[in-house]
Amino acid sequence: MAEYSNTKVCIVFEPNGYAIWGKMQEVLNKMFKETGHKNVYMPILIPESLLKKEGELIQGFAPECAWVTTGSSSFLEEKLVVRPTSETLFSDYYSNKIKSYRNLPKLYNQCCNVIR
C-alpha cells in the first residue's frame, strides 16, 4: 500500500493505499461538514522568524528540519523551513484574522504533510 521512496523521509502511496486515504478523507469530510468544520491548507514553507516564535516547541525536532536557503540561483533573504508542524502557521493566521470574539468560533481541519 505504501513504500519508502529514494528521497529520504518520503513515502510513495500506491493506488490501494491512496484509495484508502481518499475514503478516509471522504468519511471525515462528511463528519466535519456535520459539525460545521471547514477544510483549510497552510503553506508548506515557514519563514525561520515565524518558526522561532514557537520557542520550546521546536527544540525537540529542530535538528531534523529541512531548510530552503536558495531560490533559483540566489540566496533567500530569510531561510524557509519545510513544514515540521502547523501550529506556528495557525497562530500567525489567527493573529491576523481574529480581532474579537465576533470572529469566533473557527472550526478548521487541515490534512497536510509535515517533514521531520
Side-chain angles (χ1 to χ4, degrees):
M1 289 197 291
E3 184 176 315
Y4 286 104
S5 75
N6 289 331
T7 305
K8 190 176 179 181
V9 306
C10 293
I11 296 173
V12 173
F13 285 89
E14 295 171 339
N16 288 340
Y18 196 80
I20 290 170
W21 171 240
K23 187 63 175 175
M24 288 170 54
Q25 283 185 303
E26 182 183 317
V27 170
L28 288 170
N29 281 333
K30 183 178 182 229
M31 292 168 58
F32 292 143
K33 187 175 182 179
E34 290 170 358
T35 59
H37 288 74
K38 295 180 181 176
N39 288 321
V40 297
Y41 195 84
M42 295 290 173
I44 191 129
L45 299 173
I46 303 170
E48 181 179 29
S49 59
L50 189 56
L51 187 67
K52 283 183 177 179
K53 289 182 179 181
E54 290 297 323
E56 286 185 32
L57 175 69
I58 66 164
Q59 296 309 315
F61 56 80
E64 302 168 356
C65 289
W67 292 96
V68 178
T69 58
T70 60
S72 186
S73 61
S74 60
F75 286 97
L76 300 175
E77 288 182 30
E78 181 176 15
K79 289 192 312 185
L80 303 171
V81 64
V82 181
R83 179 179 40 214
T85 180
S86 292
E87 287 86 348
T88 189
L89 293 168
F90 275 101
S91 297
D92 186 61
Y93 174 79
Y94 289 146
S95 73
N96 292 316
K97 288 291 184 180
I98 299 173
K99 300 300 179 189
S100 82
Y101 71 92
R102 290 181 183 96
N103 301 124
L104 298 173
K106 298 285 186 205
L107 301 174
Y108 290 156
N109 167 62
Q110 178 188 217
C111 291
C112 66
N113 291 322
V114 295
I115 304 288
R116 292 192 195 167

